[in-house]
Amino acid sequence: EERQRRAVTAQQLLDNPVLREAVLAEETRILNQLRTASLADKELHTRLVIAFQISSAVSRNLWAFIQDGREATQQINLRGKRID
């Protein structure tokens, strides 16, 4: 089923050390820029916050795909069992 394939792919991405390293490096760069940005530069702060939120959303969506795939697997397993 498609949901299970997406879950496997999402898990592979989250398990990929190169991707994890790249995401961590980018989030660290964003947070460092946020720490050193002038408080008066509201536009920069806004852009950095949005960038961090997008990065977090990608990881959150990958986890959601994994959970959805697990749920799909459970549903398939339940369909295969008879209840008398």
Side-chain angles (χ1 to χ4, degrees), residues 39-50:
L39 291 176
D41 194 344
K42 292 180 182 180
E43 184 179 327
L44 177 61
H45 277 265
T46 299
R47 287 196 326 260
L48 291 170
V49 168
I50 290 170

Side-chain angles (χ1 to χ4, degrees), residues 27-67:
E27 288 182 352
T28 300
R29 184 188 67 78
I30 292 167
L31 291 174
N32 284 337
Q33 283 184 336
L34 196 55
R35 286 185 192 104
T36 60
S38 168
L39 291 176
D41 194 344
K42 292 180 182 180
E43 184 179 327
L44 177 61
H45 277 265
T46 299
R47 287 196 326 260
L48 291 170
V49 168
I50 290 170
F52 189 78
Q53 288 173 335
I54 289 170
S55 178
S56 297
V58 169
S59 296
R60 199 171 42 252
N61 279 303
L62 289 173
W63 280 111
F65 288 153
I66 292 168
Q67 296 305 314

